[in-house]
Amino acid sequence: MTVPQPPEPIPGARLLFSLDPSVSHLNHGSFGAVPVVVQRAQQRLRDEMESNPLRFFTQGLVDRIAHTRRHLATFLGADPDGTALVGNATTGVAVVLQSLGLRAGDEVVTTDHGYGAVTFSVERECRRTGAVSRTLRVPLAASDEEVVEIVRAGLRPGRTKLLIIDQIASATARLFPTAAVAGVAREHGVPVLVDAAHAPGMLPTTVASVGADFWVGNLHKWAYAPRGTAALVVAEPWRERIEPLVVSWEQEAGFPGRVEWQATLDYTPWLAAPVGLFALRSLGLDRVRAHNAALAAYGQRVVGDGLGVAPADLPEPGGPTLAMRLIPLPPGVATTMDAAKELQVRIAERLAAEVAVMSWNGRGWLRLCGQVYNTPDEYDRLAVRLPTLLALR
């Protein structure tokens, strides 16, 4: 099989970012990259805040946040009245968990593709309340229909108080059929929380079409917002039950204000986030999505070839639309979290390439991303140099 052709670069896109040109930044999915125009917009907001902090925080800030929220919710296809801005997806998950009122005998169901920090949050809430957590095993190559049936068989009506499912799993780049899963959960009377950390900006799917009780997604990954910008979307029946992690002066305002307002929090990332959407739309939203997905597919194939992985063994659990791809590492490599972290650092230091190395189900995986600032030769160089590095372990 031939290697897929890389996409044509988007003219001028690389110049929008202030990334170190001596490094191949192939891990956009972890912390994103903020366009220079967004950095400058946020700095202007910081300057405004520091020129008169009292005026910034007390004269109209709540209204400015609400205006920003409406703008971002519209982009996401979500109800602005049911959307609260939060710092990141993990924070949104924690807000939902502590608002459920879990008790002894209740259970929270997740999958083995879940994000590690979310797993920690579930475990902590279960320890605090006496509830239990249960993990469903979902094979990486499972079809959407098989995923739905695994979930259907794993729910326990009356006992399962929450199902958490990823829209795109961080560890495996797996795209889950969230709308179908949410439908099955509704049939069983089980509320669903969709961890959509990677969805905003990458997927065209609207929040409303997912049909989840709770949805949380980061805008600082694929939607070019400053870090610390995420949205928690809550279905109408649940909104009055949602409580913030810390009570502050907007507590009596109800949801979403009571969740958003945290007094001296730095709100400049949220207020600058619409500039990120402007930058994304200026490049062409569909164009960026297609470019990034095609480039990630190219990178997966050439690096896979470099490691001797047959094309048939390269997983495509997310389909052709995702800008994140997995490559299996040789047996025995990065089989633990500590080993994966160590290898990721070695690749960064010795190959000047930032990648994600994952350990999932006892196997090491390399996760590559595609973004408008990346070029095909960055993946080509990694394909040539990585096998030698691995041979020296």
Side-chain angles (χ1 to χ4, degrees):
M1 296 178 66
T2 59
V3 174
Q5 290 299 305
E8 288 294 322
I10 298 177
R14 177 63 179 82
L15 300 176
L16 295 177
F17 297 86
S18 56
L19 294 164
D20 182 351
S22 69
V23 176
S24 296
H25 300 272
L26 307 177
N27 187 19
H28 186 89
S30 284
F31 296 100
V34 183
V36 173
V37 64
V38 183
Q39 296 178 40
R40 291 174 177 168
Q42 186 181 9
Q43 187 57 52
R44 288 193 294 270
L45 288 162
R46 289 193 182 114
D47 292 343
E48 177 191 348
M49 176 173 61
E50 297 305 332
S51 70
N52 192 329
L54 186 65
R55 180 173 60 195
F56 182 86
F57 282 97
T58 63
Q59 296 185 22
L61 181 55
V62 171
D63 290 339
R64 292 173 75 176
I65 294 170
H67 176 76
T68 300
R69 178 206 312 139
R70 287 192 292 271
H71 188 105
L72 299 180
T74 299
F75 171 77
L76 296 171
D79 178 3
D81 293 333
T83 302
L85 301 182
V86 292
N88 52 41
T90 311
T91 299
V93 170
V95 168
V96 172
L97 284 170
Q98 63 90 40
S99 298
L100 286 177
L102 294 173
R103 298 180 296 180
D106 294 342
E107 69 175 18
V108 178
V109 174
T110 61
T111 79
D112 58 348
H113 296 248
Y115 188 60
V118 171
T119 300
F120 292 151
S121 189
V122 170
E123 291 173 347
R124 185 187 69 170
E125 191 64 17
C126 287
R127 286 195 302 270
R128 190 180 71 83
T129 62
V132 297
S133 62
R134 190 159 52 84
T135 303
L136 304 179
R137 305 296 177 185
V138 179
L140 185 61
S143 67
D144 286 354
E145 293 76 15
E146 289 170 334
V147 171
V148 171
E149 289 310 310
I150 290 170
V151 171
R152 189 191 305 276
L155 298 178
R156 299 174 182 174
R159 184 174 180 183
T160 306
K161 300 302 181 182
L162 183 68
L163 167 67
I164 302 178
I165 191 93
D166 292 83
Q167 194 157 1
I168 305 170
S170 176
T172 61
R174 163 87 209 201
L175 177 64
F176 279 86
T178 47
V181 168
V184 167
R186 271 194 305 274
E187 294 173 6
H188 290 73
V190 175
V192 176
L193 166 58
V194 171
D195 180 353
H198 291 274
M202 190 196 298
L203 296 182
T205 310
T206 64
V207 175
S209 69
V210 174
D213 300 270
F214 313 101
W215 181 100
V216 59
N218 293 322
L219 288 103
H220 54 244
K221 292 182 182 288
W222 302 93
Y224 296 168
R227 292 171 199 88
T229 307
L232 169 63
V233 183
V234 178
E236 198 280 329
W238 290 95
R239 293 173 190 171
E240 289 307 309
R241 295 178 56 177
I242 298 297
E243 293 286 347
L245 298 176
V246 178
V247 173
S248 194
W249 286 102
E250 289 296 306
Q251 179 66 16
E252 298 304 313
F255 184 86
R258 63 167 53 144
V259 170
E260 292 174 332
W261 186 257
Q262 296 292 303
T264 51
L265 185 74
D266 182 0
Y267 299 98
T268 62
W270 300 355
L271 299 179
V275 182
L277 299 186
F278 174 79
L280 189 57
R281 287 174 170 138
S282 296
L283 293 174
L285 183 54
D286 292 338
R287 186 184 189 188
V288 168
R289 285 171 172 155
H291 171 277
N292 293 348
L295 192 56
Y298 173 81
Q300 181 193 41
R301 182 64 67 82
V302 295
V303 176
D305 284 351
L307 294 176
V309 180
D313 294 329
L314 291 172
E316 197 174 324
T321 62
L322 296 195
M324 297 197 304
R325 294 292 183 111
L326 283 187
I327 302 161
L329 292 170
V333 175
T335 57
T336 67
M337 288 184 62
D338 287 344
K341 291 178 182 177
E342 188 273 336
L343 177 57
Q344 182 170 315
V345 171
R346 279 204 296 141
I347 293 172
E349 292 178 346
R350 300 187 187 184
L351 305 185
E354 297 291 353
V355 300
V357 180
M358 309 292 191
S359 176
W360 184 75
N361 282 359
R363 180 72 189 266
W365 301 86
L366 183 73
R367 192 192 74 188
L368 296 177
C369 298
Q371 187 50 262
V372 296
Y373 51 73
N374 292 130
T375 57
D377 65 283
E378 293 178 305
Y379 305 93
D380 296 338
R381 287 197 301 270
L382 183 63
V384 171
R385 302 177 67 192
L386 182 59
T388 301
L389 178 69
L390 295 180
L392 295 175
R393 63 187 173 92

